[in-house]
Amino acid sequence: MRVALVTGGTAGIGAATAEALQAAGYRVAVNYGTNETVAHAFSARTGIPAFAWNVADAAACRDGAARVQAELGPVEILVNNAGITRDAMLHKMSFEQWREVLDVNLGGCFNMCRAVIEGMRERRFGRIVNMGSVNGLSGQAGQCNYAATKAGLIGLTKSLALEGASRNITVNLVAPGYTETAMVGAVPPDVLAQILKAVPAGRLATPDEIARGVVFLVADEAAFITGITLPINGGKYMA
Ligand code: CAA
């Protein structure tokens, strides 16, 4: 049974992904940042163990990955899902709002890949899926920080795909559109209504619909799919 680790995996798209992977027969662990109450409830409901660390902290990622591997075995599948928003127009954005989003969304992906990639190379197997966003493709007013990280993840994904290909390590990115999550729930209702008008499907995605893409990409049978961006956005932006 292959071992999968999902960061930011106790809620939203991460939780749906962890549960979909479990249902598909993987041994799953999730990481979370600080919300112990949500994490305990998630583990109690699903039986999936949850480990706390900050993905923006490189040493914490090394230690966290080591804890997961000691308990479950080598991480063969990594889903870099942890992400945050600090939305503001650039002329109102503080350096802290810029930095925090870069450190978690982009730095977190580097830190976690760095923590598991040597093992994947040695074992000559790995599946990495990074969580992008439609806004990394289209841009979004109020999200210069977030969109920059999500676009940056595409470059990281393609570069690491090149590095891993000869070792049977695939690296892909799923780019969700607006999805039924707390993150999207925090968008002002009038702004969200405007955004929804630009979604041909006329609705938000469900977290399960995003998880479907991840399960597809991490399968053993998906060995020849690497370096891609898989948009799941109801037609909002066709890259
Ligand atoms: N395009 C262009 N201009 C816009 C705009 C838009 N979409 N939205 C607002 N503006 C302009 C306004 O017209 C206004 O311009 P003027 O000052 O010239 O009149 C200016 O921006 C300021 O507007 P507000 O007073 O509303 O600004 P604010 O500071 O209160 O809020 C905001 C701005 C924080 C960006 C707010 O509009 C917002 O939260 N927008 C949502 C951003 C968004 O979609 N975030 C996605 C979160 S979910 C997610 O990230 C998941 C995922 O991957 C999809």
Side-chain angles (χ1 to χ4, degrees):
M1 214 187 250
R2 295 205 183 279
V3 172
L5 170 60
V6 182
T7 66
T10 58
I13 291 172
T17 299
E19 291 189 67
L21 288 170
Q22 184 187 48
Y26 298 93
R27 274 192 96 185
V28 185
V30 295
N31 145 271
Y32 67 99
T34 51
N35 197 331
E36 258 178 42
T37 312
V38 169
H40 287 160
F42 172 81
S43 292
R45 185 169 60 75
T46 61
I48 296 172
F51 299 79
W53 71 85
N54 177 4
V55 295
D57 179 337
C61 288
R62 263 198 316 274
D63 295 349
R67 274 194 286 149
V68 170
Q69 311 214 77
E71 221 167 280
L72 280 83
V75 171
E76 295 169 294
I77 295 156
L78 171 66
V79 182
N80 286 305
N81 169 78
I84 59 168
T85 54
R86 295 291 181 266
D87 291 357
M89 306 290 276
L90 189 124
H91 62 272
K92 294 184 186 168
M93 189 179 287
S94 66
F95 181 74
E96 285 65 38
Q97 286 174 309
W98 166 257
R99 191 74 247 173
E100 219 182 325
V101 172
L102 254 77
D103 285 349
V104 173
N105 296 11
L106 196 51
C109 178
F110 167 79
N111 291 337
M112 287 309 304
C113 289
R114 186 68 188 85
V116 301
I117 197 73
E118 287 174 274
M120 288 181 175
R121 290 177 68 85
E122 277 159 25
R123 293 187 302 276
R124 294 185 169 261
F125 181 89
R127 296 281 183 270
I128 297 175
V129 177
N130 298 323
M131 203 53 70
S133 165
V134 64
N135 292 345
L137 301 169
S138 64
Q140 169 63 44
Q143 289 204 304
C144 287
N145 48 5
Y146 182 87
T149 64
K150 297 301 184 178
L153 286 173
I154 295 174
L156 191 163
T157 298
K158 290 179 176 176
S159 302
L160 192 55
L162 290 171
E163 294 182 8
S166 66
R167 302 285 199 292
N168 195 22
I169 299 167
T170 69
V171 189
N172 293 293
L173 179 135
V174 169
Y178 283 70
T179 305
E180 289 167 7
T181 61
M183 187 182 270
V184 169
V187 174
D190 52 324
V191 178
L192 190 57
Q194 273 306 114
I195 289 168
L196 267 175
K197 281 188 196 156
V199 180
R203 62 173 178 85
L204 299 175
T206 67
D208 289 346
E209 287 174 318
I210 311 304
R212 179 60 34 212
V214 179
V215 173
F216 169 71
L217 290 169
V218 302
D220 280 22
E221 295 80 4
F224 217 56
I225 304 174
T226 195
I228 72 159
T229 292
L230 176 61
I232 306 179
N233 63 32
K236 182 171 190 291
Y237 185 84
M238 303 187 197

